[in-house]
Amino acid sequence: MKRKMINTIVLSCLSIMLFGCASKEERIDVTFELSNNIKENVTQVAKDYLIKNNCGTSETIQVGTASITDYLVNASDEVSDPKDIGQVVYKVTFKDKSHVVTYLPEVLVNQDNNRVVGFIVGD
């Protein structure tokens, strides 16, 4: 009886390890496939948002310098809908030209639908 229980536990642990690794590899492949298109789309959405809100022009926003990171929206961020607080979004940061006095805001973009949810005022 004891041996049967030990075998069951060992088999369960091995199954979890095998299936857990397979799932992780699948997620990595999906992320890699999407990453090529995401940067271009999200960067364009953020750039359009900044231009529309008079934060910059096509010449001052350097698309090639954009960096995109995951970001957890918090209450101190400027968001259009309070429901977005606590959500993980893309944070798009553009490198400013050296002679600019005020920095460009960092744009927060929803990961599911590429909708701008808010911004973080530049330092």
Side-chain angles (χ1 to χ4, degrees), residues 29-42 68:
D29 291 339
V30 169
T31 303
F32 181 75
E33 277 180 34
L34 296 175
S35 66
N36 294 333
N37 261 349
I38 287 175
K39 183 166 182 161
E40 184 178 315
N41 294 339
V42 172
I68 301 172

Side-chain angles (χ1 to χ4, degrees), residues 55 96-97 99-105 122-123:
C55 297
D96 292 324
K97 291 187 175 184
H99 64 279
V100 177
V101 176
T102 59
Y103 295 101
L104 292 171
D123 294 327

Side-chain angles (χ1 to χ4, degrees), residues 15-31:
S15 297
I16 291 170
M17 287 177 16
L18 289 175
F19 291 117
C21 292
S23 296
K24 185 176 180 181
E25 288 175 15
E26 288 172 14
R27 275 186 254 126
I28 290 171
D29 291 339
V30 169
T31 303

Side-chain angles (χ1 to χ4, degrees), residues 31-115:
T31 303
F32 181 75
E33 277 180 34
L34 296 175
S35 66
N36 294 333
N37 261 349
I38 287 175
K39 183 166 182 161
E40 184 178 315
N41 294 339
V42 172
T43 302
Q44 188 62 46
V45 167
K47 177 183 175 184
D48 292 346
Y49 176 81
L50 292 174
I51 292 171
K52 180 181 174 185
N53 289 288
N54 298 321
C55 297
T57 64
S58 293
E59 293 79 34
T60 61
I61 300 171
Q62 302 173 10
V63 175
T65 66
S67 66
I68 301 172
T69 56
D70 287 339
Y71 179 77
L72 181 65
V73 179
N74 62 58
S76 65
D77 300 327
E78 298 290 331
V79 292
S80 56
D81 188 349
K83 288 189 268 183
D84 291 318
I85 296 173
Q87 300 296 317
V88 176
V89 298
Y90 295 121
K91 179 173 75 169
V92 184
T93 306
F94 294 97
K95 185 176 179 185
D96 292 324
K97 291 187 175 184
S98 59
H99 64 279
V100 177
V101 176
T102 59
Y103 295 101
L104 292 171
E106 297 172 308
V107 182
L108 306 176
V109 180
N110 184 300
Q111 293 182 346
D112 296 328
N113 58 17
N114 289 348
R115 176 183 59 86

Side-chain angles (χ1 to χ4, degrees), residues 3-16:
R3 184 179 177 129
K4 191 174 182 179
M5 186 188 317
I6 291 173
N7 286 340
T8 304
I9 291 171
V10 169
L11 181 62
S12 297
C13 290
L14 288 173
S15 297
I16 291 170

